[in-house]
Amino acid sequence: DSCTVTPVTEGDKVYPADVTVSVLKAGGRNGLASETLAAFRDAGFDPGSAGNAPDKVDVSYAQIWTTEPKNPAVRLVASRMGKQVEVVKKAKPGTGVVVVVGDGFGALADGKEYVTASYDTEICSPTG
């Protein structure tokens, strides 16, 4: 699971196909990470990896772990996670935008078709 670091300029539109997403499960529901990753793939995102969150992580609904909360890729993914998603500033143990889902997470929301970058930055895009 890898992605290519892609520069984004202020004003650029970032679409799901530009964004790699990885999903970690923090809860007891079997298959939740892979089901959620498949839903992101079906919504047009590039699937990264699916796995388990580190032990003792307590997420009841969903979080996005990122060092850059205002990144357009993070904002786009967050728009698909519903109003309850928390964006947490912390190192991410995965490829692309890292989503951590708990047992309370249901399905993706409709969310935004794209997000416009509000500053120059980088996103993690599909390789190749």
Side-chain angles (χ1 to χ4, degrees):
D1 301 311
S2 65
C3 58
T4 302
V5 175
T6 307
V8 175
T9 306
E10 181 179 346
D12 284 356
K13 290 178 177 165
V14 176
Y15 291 90
D18 303 326
V19 178
T20 301
V21 179
S22 292
V23 181
L24 300 175
K25 175 184 77 148
R29 279 173 54 198
N30 280 338
L32 182 60
S34 51
E35 287 166 22
T36 305
L37 189 64
F40 273 109
R41 184 189 62 232
D42 293 347
F45 290 84
D46 176 54
S49 58
N52 291 324
D55 288 346
K56 298 193 173 102
V57 168
D58 183 22
V59 175
S60 56
Y61 179 74
Q63 293 180 347
I64 296 172
W65 291 357
T66 179
T67 54
E68 199 185 350
K70 302 244 183 279
N71 182 287
V74 170
R75 289 170 36 225
L76 183 61
V77 171
S79 80
R80 302 297 181 98
M81 302 285 305
K83 291 182 171 49
Q84 290 175 274
V85 69
E86 288 180 89
V87 178
V88 179
K89 191 163 184 172
K90 69 188 290 181
K92 56 189 181 82
T95 304
V97 178
V98 175
V99 173
V100 184
V101 287
D103 288 340
F105 181 74
L108 295 186
D110 288 340
K112 296 183 169 139
E113 193 180 325
Y114 62 85
V115 166
T116 304
S118 54
Y119 59 99
D120 294 355
T121 186
E122 295 173 335
I123 63 171
C124 198
S125 293
T127 303

